[in-house]
Amino acid sequence: MLKVYLKELLELTRDKKTLIFTILLPTLIMPVIMLGFITLSTKIAKKAVDEDLSYAIVGGEYYPELVEQLVKNDKLKQETVKDIEKAKTMINANDLRFAIVIPEDAQARLRAGLNIEIKMLYNDSATTSAIIFRRVNDAIKDLKEQEVNRRYAQLGLSEAQGKAINNPIELIKTSTADKRESFGEKIGGFLPYILILIGLSGAMYPAIDIGVGEKERGTLETLLLTPVPRFQLVLAKFLVIFTTSFVSVFFSLISFGLMIGFLGPMMLSGIGSQGSSAVNEIMKALATISSFDVFLMFLMLVPVAAIFASVLLSVSIYARTFKEAQNYMSPLMMLVIFPLILPLLPGVKLDWVWASVPITNVSLAIKEIFKGTIDMGMLAVIFVSTTVIAGLLLGLCNWWFQREQVLFRN
C-alpha cells in the first residue's frame, strides 16, 4: 500500500497542473490576488474621496452663506450654470457631478426658525454617488452647526442645552467583548469559508487524475492485477487525495498569515491615519491567536479533508471520462458552498443544533476558535462526529471500488 501511495504521489508531483492547483494557487496566487484586490479597492475609494467635484448652484443669491461655504472647499469646483434643466443634462453627461438648488424662500424660512429644503441633483446610478452625497453633506456641516448655535442663542440656551433638547436620551454603546472576539465575529466566518474551499479545490484535480485518469490511461487494469488488496488500493488513493487537500490548506494558511503580517501593513499604510489605526487594531487582535489555536483549526480541517477525499474519489471512480468527472464536480462544489454560507448569516451561532450539520459545524467551530470563545467539549463532539462521517464515506468508497460495474462502466 505504501508503494502505491508513493507511486501516486510521485505521479502527481510530476504533473504541472497538480503543482499549480495544490501548491502555487493556494500558496501564492490566491493570497496575492486577494491582497491586491483589497489594496486596489482601497486606492479607488481613496481616489473617489479626494476627487475634485465640479458642481453648479441654482438660486445661490437666495442663500449666499451656503455658496461661500462650498467655495471654501478646495475639492469642489463651481461651474456657472443657472438653469435647472441644463444642470440635469450636464450631470447625466458627466460634465457636472452635482448641482445645488436653493429655494427662493430660504432666508425667510431661516428667519422664521424653520428648515429649508435644499435639493441636490446628482446621478444616483454612478457608483460613487453615495460618496458624493456624503462629501457635500460634510462640506456644509459647519454651516448647519452655525445656524443651530444661532437658534440656541436666540432661545437663551447654551450649546449643550440645545443638543440636549434634540437628543434628551443618548444611548452609548459599550461592548463587553475584547478586540479579538469582536474582530472574529465580524470576519471570522470568512476564514473557514476560504480554507475549506481551498481544501476542496486542492483535492479535486488529484482525485480526478488518480481515479478516472487511470481509466483513460489504461493503467487501472494493471494496478488491479497487482497482489495488493483492493482496500489497500483505495486507502492509498484516498491518502494521496487527503494529502494534497491538507497540504493546500496548510500552505494557504501560512501564506495568508505572512501576507497579512508583513505585506499587508506595508501595502495599506498609505490609506491614511484611519486606515493605519484599523490595521493596527487588526494586528493586535491577530497577535492574541496562539499556536494552540492554529493547531485546533488544522485539527478540525483533518476530517473535512478526509470527507472530500472519500467523496471525490468515489465520484472519480464512477465517471467514465475526465470530462464527465469535471461535470460532477460543479454540483458538488455547490453542495459545499451552501453549508459554508450559513455561518456568515447573522444570528447563526455554534450550538448543539448547528453542531449536527456537517461542514457548517466545522466552519462555526473554526470561527469560535478564531474568536477565542470555543467550547472544548463541543469541539470534541464535532471532531468525533465529523471523523465518523469521514470513516463511513471511506467505507462507502471502498464498497464502491469493489464493484466491477462501477470500475468498468465503459
Side-chain angles (χ1 to χ4, degrees):
M1 186 188 75
L2 181 60
K3 291 183 178 180
V4 175
Y5 170 78
L6 295 175
K7 186 267 295 183
E8 298 284 2
L9 201 59
L10 181 61
E11 289 181 354
L12 285 177
T13 55
R14 289 172 176 171
D15 191 350
K16 293 181 180 180
K17 292 182 179 179
T18 303
L19 296 177
I20 292 174
F21 282 101
T22 60
I23 298 178
L24 188 61
L25 183 65
T27 306
L28 183 61
I29 298 177
M30 284 298 294
V32 169
I33 290 176
M34 291 186 64
L35 194 58
F37 176 76
I38 294 173
T39 306
L40 180 62
S41 302
T42 303
K43 289 183 177 180
I44 292 175
K46 189 175 184 297
K47 182 180 179 181
V49 171
D50 296 337
E51 177 190 5
D52 291 342
L53 302 178
S54 59
Y55 72 100
I57 297 181
V58 179
E61 64 274 14
Y62 304 129
Y63 196 4
E65 292 85 353
L66 177 60
V67 178
E68 294 176 4
Q69 188 67 28
L70 292 175
V71 170
K72 291 179 182 178
N73 194 312
D74 57 356
K75 293 294 183 180
L76 303 179
K77 308 300 180 182
Q78 184 178 359
E79 303 289 342
T80 304
V81 179
K82 300 297 183 182
D83 182 65
I84 295 179
E85 294 303 322
K86 183 179 179 181
K88 289 181 179 179
T89 302
M90 293 181 68
I91 290 173
N92 290 332
N94 208 30
D95 295 328
L96 285 178
R97 303 310 300 272
F98 68 94
I100 299 294
V101 181
I102 303 174
E104 297 180 5
D105 59 347
Q107 293 289 353
R109 292 183 67 86
L110 287 175
R111 286 193 296 268
L114 301 175
N115 72 315
I116 57 175
E117 294 183 354
I118 298 175
K119 292 183 180 179
M120 176 181 165
L121 306 177
Y122 68 104
N123 190 344
D124 190 37
S125 63
T127 55
T128 57
S129 59
I131 297 177
I132 293 174
F133 184 84
R134 185 171 64 250
R135 287 181 60 182
V136 176
N137 199 42
D138 292 340
I140 63 174
K141 182 179 179 181
D142 292 341
L143 184 62
K144 290 180 181 180
E145 293 180 353
Q146 292 172 12
E147 180 61 27
V148 169
N149 292 333
R150 186 185 67 80
R151 295 187 181 188
Y152 290 159
Q154 286 182 344
L155 297 174
L157 299 175
S158 65
E159 183 178 347
Q161 290 173 325
K163 291 182 178 179
I165 291 176
N166 292 328
N167 188 21
I169 300 175
E170 184 175 3
L171 188 64
I172 301 176
K173 295 188 296 183
T174 304
S175 176
T176 59
D178 57 24
K179 293 179 180 179
R180 173 180 171 179
E181 185 177 351
S182 178
F183 175 69
E185 179 61 33
K186 291 180 177 65
I187 70 166
F190 291 98
L191 179 63
Y193 181 87
I194 295 172
L195 292 178
I196 291 177
L197 284 183
I198 287 176
L200 177 61
S201 62
M204 194 171 291
Y205 180 80
I208 296 176
D209 185 70
I210 66 177
V212 69
E214 286 219 76
K215 286 186 179 181
E216 291 195 335
R217 291 191 297 268
T219 58
L220 181 61
E221 293 85 350
T222 304
L223 185 64
L224 293 175
L225 290 175
T226 60
V228 181
R230 288 198 180 183
F231 172 74
Q232 293 187 13
L233 294 177
V234 174
L235 188 59
K237 292 178 177 293
F238 162 83
L239 289 175
V240 171
I241 303 171
F242 172 83
T243 301
T244 58
S245 175
F246 198 76
V247 165
S248 298
V249 176
F250 178 77
F251 280 120
S252 64
L253 190 57
I254 292 178
S255 179
F256 275 114
L258 294 175
M259 289 285 183
I260 294 173
F262 296 98
L263 296 182
M266 290 189 295
M267 297 183 70
L268 299 177
S269 59
I271 300 175
S273 58
Q274 293 183 348
S276 299
S277 62
V279 171
N280 291 333
E281 292 296 324
I282 293 174
M283 297 309 297
K284 289 179 181 178
L286 292 176
T288 61
I289 300 177
S290 65
S291 56
F292 181 69
D293 295 326
V294 176
F295 169 76
L296 289 179
M297 293 181 194
F298 277 123
L299 188 64
M300 295 305 298
L301 292 170
V302 170
V304 176
I307 290 176
F308 291 157
S310 302
V311 173
L312 291 174
L313 181 58
S314 299
V315 172
S316 180
I317 289 298
Y318 177 76
R320 291 187 179 93
T321 62
F322 201 94
K323 185 176 180 181
E324 182 182 345
Q326 288 180 319
N327 293 334
Y328 292 147
M329 297 304 169
S330 298
L332 182 61
M333 179 74 77
M334 296 302 297
L335 289 175
V336 174
I337 288 177
F338 285 127
L340 290 176
I341 293 177
L342 293 176
L344 302 176
L345 300 177
V348 178
K349 303 289 184 181
L350 182 60
D351 53 26
W352 292 110
V353 175
W354 288 111
S356 61
V357 181
I359 305 297
T360 301
N361 54 5
V362 174
S363 182
L364 286 170
I366 294 176
K367 179 181 177 181
E368 294 297 323
I369 295 171
F370 192 76
K371 291 169 56 179
T373 57
I374 187 64
D375 182 348
M376 298 304 292
M378 186 173 292
L379 184 70
V381 172
I382 294 174
F383 178 79
V384 172
S385 63
T386 310
T387 303
V388 170
I389 293 174
L392 293 175
L393 289 173
L394 179 58
L396 177 63
C397 180
N398 177 55
W399 172 78
W400 201 240
F401 197 85
Q402 305 295 330
R403 306 183 64 187
E404 301 290 333
Q405 58 268 40
V406 173
L407 293 177
F408 306 107
R409 290 177 65 223
N410 294 340

